[in-house]
């Protein structure tokens, strides 16, 4: 007689199942509806296949499409495998590598047959059709554990060199699992998977593009073809996602930046922004705003060097852990002769700073600090450089040269909660001034960390208590704790902004650091007359000016708030008889602090309206002979259906208010 296992379910009930039974058997025993809906299972908290046998008494939770996050990840993982199977069916000789799920879909990397050449977007319709055939075939997905040498031998026999290399490097104590799709195709994978390909909705995916990708992300390795797709649980979800993508494409900051003449990027300075006059107006408006905000928070602005000696980066720990992301510079006069190396082997090394933190510690260390001097709050609009791979660069969102609103608070242990609370309140004001809603999250200790559990308990509770005291640890503010996502040396608070089309952007952070002051020997004299280490709070609100401007452009679809708009108004004439009046209107608006231009070209007014609308100018003041005689303007506001005729004084008063930054306006609720 077989042994019986007790399987505990989420509702508190317990079912006895014979040895060898599976989660699928439990689902079937409960009812045919659940058996059909079940996609995977959690046994004692671990996500597994429905077909995995129980090995003893267990806690069981069945996963269905109602568990959307888990179900989506499973579906996207399976779409990736179906993609790989379809490509090999259509293009024999293609080698497979691996393909994970992503935040909105999946991808798979392939090594095409050299005679065929790389895949292109033109191949995608045929691959999609083949994927739908595989899904319609409802092929069972079956897990097997293989002997390492047997699996490596199989991959080599089939010419799957990348898979053989990957299998050979997996940890020796890790079981190598494969999944069969039916009886004719397999891939190496940890799993879990859906029970069969038929559990996927054939109308819920779309292949989106093809790009190049290096094997294992190393540009020294072979170039592969990466095929991207988006995958969902049903057709409705896919349609909603594609609509979001269309809207995102319209809002693309690179496209709008070009149309609005804000900035450009080019190969002569990979990852660095060429700000045009109009774009730099936005940049400076943000800089001015942040300077007022930090001044109100009793922070002192500093400026530190761009280049520091490698020995300083060694002391801070960055040289050993971060050097591959740093631009290094020889501290030597280069050889000017044609022959011979430009730099000798004896050159000392320096580096462009990738962050401002070590330099701020050096400022703190100048002079003796007392406990009475703390907290010391310093902020730098600091230009930093990071050696990002060319392929990872993306407009303003990911660059090599960027400027952070980077601040550090040096404080005593007893000041941490109060300082973090004050920063939370400051960040709340800033994000609301820009019209953002946000979620605030606490990233907790990772598995790989330094410090004791007691130290982590203290650091996490300090940040948690500060958010509670600020009144932000609520559902309204999306308060959430994220296990395992803190830095290796400290937990951190993160601010995730939500934009107009529902995307989230992680922007602001604050985290406590007890390690860097120790490494760089920063100290203050305590009330007891002894030396003590300060705690260093790293904080930023915009993150980087470049990325924040990119987010603003996409959030507002280029229709920036009037106070941020490079050109806040244009005075446009209908007839040349109004030219003098237009110039007079422009002078008065400039005197009121409005950024205004005049358009007296010999063009029809509809042409002028259309052109300035495309450039996202918030207000167009149309004047003709009648307006000149009556000292009025016809005000056209971007996005409004009708114009308003008002006196010039009324228009100036209106625009003067709208052109004022929100922190300087007196007509807004406090």
């Amino acid at each position: 007689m077989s042994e019986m296992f007790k399987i505990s379910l989420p509702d508190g009930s317990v079912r006895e199942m014979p040895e060898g039974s599976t989660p699928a058997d439990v689902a079937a025993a409960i009812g045919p509806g659940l058996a059909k809906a079940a996609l995977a299972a959690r046994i004692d908290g671990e996500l597994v296949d429905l077909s995995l046998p129980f090995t003893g008494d267990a806690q069981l939770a069945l996963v269905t499409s109602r568990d959307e996050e888990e179900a989506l990840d499973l579906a996207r993982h399976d779409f990736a495998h179906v993609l790989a199977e379809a490509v090999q069916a259509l293009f024999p000789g293609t080698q497979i590598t691996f393909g994970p799920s992503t935040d909105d879909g999946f991808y798979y990397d392939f090594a095409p047959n050299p005679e065929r050449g790389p895949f292109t977007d033109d191949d995608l319709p045929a691959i999609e059709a083949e994927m739908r055939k595989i899904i319609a075939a409802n092929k069972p997905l079956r897990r097997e554990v293989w002997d390492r040498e047997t699996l490596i031998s199989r991959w080599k026999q089939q010419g799957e060199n990348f898979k053989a290399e990957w299998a050979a490097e997996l940890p020796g104590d890790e079981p190598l699992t494969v999944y069969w799709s039916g009886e004719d195709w397999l891939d190496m994978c940890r799993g879990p998977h859906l029970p069969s390909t038929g559990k996927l909705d054939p109308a819920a995916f779309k292949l989106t593009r093809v790009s190049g990708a290096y094997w294992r992300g190393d540009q020294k390795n072979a170039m592969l073809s990466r095929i991207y797709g988006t995958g969902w649980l049903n057709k409705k979800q896919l349609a909603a996602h594609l609509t979001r993508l269309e809207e995102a494409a319209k809002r693309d900051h690179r496209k709008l930046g070009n149309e609005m003449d804000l900035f450009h990027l080019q190969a002569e300075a990979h990852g660095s922004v060429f700000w045009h006059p109009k774009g730099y107006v936005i940049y400076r408006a943000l800089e001015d705003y942040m300077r007022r905000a930090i001044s109100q928070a009793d922070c002192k602005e500093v400026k530190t060097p761009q280049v520091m000696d490698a020995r300083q980066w060694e002391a801070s720990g960055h040289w050993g852990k971060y050097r591959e992301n740093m631009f290094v510079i020889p501290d030597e006069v280069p050889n000017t002769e044609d022959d011979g190396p430009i730099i000798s082997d004896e050159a000392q090394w320096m580096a462009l700073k990738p962050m401002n933190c070590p330099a701020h510690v050096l400022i703190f260390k100048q002079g003796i600090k007392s406990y009475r001097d703390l907290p010391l709050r310093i902020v730098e609009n600091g230009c930093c450089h990071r050696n990002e791979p060319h392929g990872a660069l993306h407009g303003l969102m990911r660059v090599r040269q960027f400027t952070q609103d980077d601040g550090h608070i040096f404080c005593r242990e007893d000041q941490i909660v109060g300082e973090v609370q004050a920063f939370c309140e400051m960040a709340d004001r800033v994000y609301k001034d820009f019209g953002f809603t946000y979620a605030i999250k606490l990233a907790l200790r990772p598995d790989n960390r330094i410090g004791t559990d007691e130290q982590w308990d203290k650091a996490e509770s300090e940040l948690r208590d500060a958010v509670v005291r600020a009144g932000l640890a609520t559902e309204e503010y999306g308060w959430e704790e994220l296990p395992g996502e803190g830095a290796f040396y400290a937990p951190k608070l993160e601010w995730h902004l939500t934009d107009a089309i529902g995307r989230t952007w992680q922007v602001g952070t604050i985290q406590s650091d007890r390690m860097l002051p120790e490494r760089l020997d920063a100290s203050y004299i305590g009330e007891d007359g002894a030396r003590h280490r300060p705690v260093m709070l790293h904080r930023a609100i915009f993150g980087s000016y470049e990325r924040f401007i990119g987010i603003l452009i996409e959030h507002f679809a280029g229709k920036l708030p009037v106070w941020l708009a490079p050109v806040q108004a244009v005075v446009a004439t209908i007839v040349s008889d109004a030219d003098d009046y237009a110039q007079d209107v422009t002078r008065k608006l400039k005197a009121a602090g409005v950024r205004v231009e005049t358009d007296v070209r010999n063009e029809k007014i509809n042409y002028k309206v259309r052109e300035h609308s495309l450039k996202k100018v918030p207000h167009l003041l149309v004047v003709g002979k009648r307006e000149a005689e009556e000292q009025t303007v016809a005000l056209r506001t971007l996005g409004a259906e009708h114009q308003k005729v008002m006196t010039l004084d009324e228009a100036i008063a209106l625009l003067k208010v709208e052109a004022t930054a929100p922190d300087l306006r007196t007509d807004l609720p406090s």
Side-chain angles (χ1 to χ4, degrees), residues 290-300 375 377 379 409 419 422-423 426 429 539 541:
M290 185 52 66
R291 283 198 167 96
R292 293 191 297 271
I294 64 176
S295 176
Q296 186 179 2
D298 197 24
C299 299
K300 307 302 181 185
R377 310 178 189 97
V379 176
I409 303 168
E419 288 301 308
F423 177 76
M426 175 185 177
R429 290 192 299 272
R539 41 71 79 218
I541 294 181

Side-chain angles (χ1 to χ4, degrees), residues 611-622:
E611 185 178 75
H612 295 299
S613 295
L614 288 173
K615 292 181 179 179
K616 306 294 188 288
V617 176
H619 292 297
L620 191 64
L621 285 71
V622 179

